[in-house]
Amino acid sequence: MNTELFIARRIYKGDKKNEKRVSSPAIKIAIAGIALGLAIMIVSVCIIIGFKKEIREKVIGFGSHIQITSFESNNSYEHHPIAFSDTLRNMLLDNPEITQIQKFITKPGIIKTDDDFLGIVLKGIFDDYDWRFFEKNLIDGNIIHLNDTSAANQAIISQNIANKLHLKLGDNFTTYFVQEPVRARRFTVTGIYETNFDDYDKLYVVTDARILSNLNAWEDDMVSGVEVLVNDYNKLDQTAQDLFFDMSAYKDRLGNALFTRSIKDINPMIFNWLNLLDMNVWVILILMILVSGFTMISGLLIIILERTNMIGMLKSMGARDFSIRKVFLYLSSFLIGQGMLWGNIIGLAFCLLQKNFQLFKLDPATYYLSAVPIDLNPWYVVLLNVGTLAVSLLMMIGPSYLVAKITPAKSIRFE
């Protein structure tokens, strides 16, 4: 029989029934501190991870994980063409980390309506394009079905562009292309998307790549580049590095050496900003653990002082300091467990309500999102619970040494 555990249980149950004890308010405050701290940690981690995931998905949705272009292309949207061949396709698909490849053509243009004009970038896609991102963010109309003969000159624009140019579903608009000679094409709005990521929403119009290929007078196998989607984002840097060396050694039929960049290289400022958010998480976690730990320490000290008579009696009966310390460490674990239970209930309830009902809104112009994002990952919740329990119990070891300072002769007379 575990005597220390038995005594700790009796103290815990007795203190729960006896509300008049001096330690009762301190215990309640300590439990509330643990519960509030854990709830804040769960909510903070779920929000930060959700925010990073949502922003990352928007950037990747427009540019994929890795882009392969010509070394001669600059940072403009008018890329130097490369020749896409079956050999290149097989080289890419032989990499086990690559799940999909899709060709694209980009070309800057100017939309002109009766009342206004706007500079945009047309992104031409082929029948190998993954539409899941735009299907998720499409608020009106449909995607472009390239195999449909009626899909000619169809385009998907953003709500941002639609608002600026007063366009709606089914409207026609003319786009002018600055080249020699200047050329124009008329498009029909077949879909309107909204990602709330203004840097891209105000820029991209999606259309059939064959239109842009004809404007550039390119041959059938010529494209601006190839977008690559990978299986594991955590291995993106290594996959991009491996592709960089493979593509540098490859030459297409036009004599181009291919240049490989990950989405992190294309948008370094965005991903550096997202990485800085990790520091905010660590600051919150450390502060919450310290606050919770110190409230628990104060509660344990009050319990030890209130149980001075009991400690003296146990010592007089031959109990060692280590054994008595175990009693109060067991008691601390009960109180920490109760606080963690309430912390999980509060934190997970908030996350589930926000995830399903989006109670708290955000300004899309500032945060790129319309509501506070939540990514409820069970593994992070488990790690937070294990970490909180371990750190809290470690912080209890120090105060438990107060037991050694209590002598039986004085403690039995202690009031």
Side-chain angles (χ1 to χ4, degrees), residues 325-379:
R325 284 174 54 210
K326 283 176 66 178
V327 171
F328 288 99
L329 288 175
Y330 278 130
L331 179 59
S332 298
S333 67
F334 295 154
L335 300 176
I336 293 169
Q338 185 178 349
M340 289 175 60
L341 175 63
W342 283 107
N344 279 287
I345 292 173
I346 296 169
L348 294 175
F350 176 89
C351 291
L352 290 172
L353 287 171
Q354 178 61 26
K355 187 177 182 68
N356 293 314
F357 300 104
Q358 298 187 342
L359 303 176
F360 295 90
K361 304 296 183 180
L362 294 175
D363 179 11
T366 304
Y367 297 100
Y368 304 121
L369 299 170
S370 58
V372 174
I374 296 291
D375 182 41
L376 197 54
N377 190 318
W379 284 110

Side-chain angles (χ1 to χ4, degrees), residues 85-104:
S85 63
D86 290 337
T87 302
L88 178 57
R89 181 193 301 277
N90 293 332
M91 283 181 62
L92 294 173
L93 293 179
D94 283 342
N95 190 319
E97 292 299 322
I98 294 176
T99 59
Q100 182 169 343
I101 57 175
Q102 49 196 34
K103 308 179 295 295
F104 71 93

Side-chain angles (χ1 to χ4, degrees), residues 51-63 133 137 158-161 164 193-204 263 267 269-271 273-274 363-370:
F51 185 81
K52 292 178 64 175
K53 184 178 179 181
E54 289 286 335
I55 297 299
R56 190 174 67 206
E57 285 181 353
K58 291 178 189 293
V59 178
I60 292 172
F62 281 103
F133 173 73
N137 293 282
S158 69
Q159 185 66 60
N160 183 298
I161 295 174
K164 289 180 179 178
Y193 71 88
E194 184 176 35
T195 68
N196 293 316
F197 205 91
D198 283 349
D199 291 353
Y200 291 104
D201 281 5
K202 67 183 181 182
L203 193 63
Y204 279 105
I263 195 67
N267 298 282
M269 293 184 64
I270 293 175
F271 283 90
W273 167 53
L274 293 179
D363 179 11
T366 304
Y367 297 100
Y368 304 121
L369 299 170
S370 58

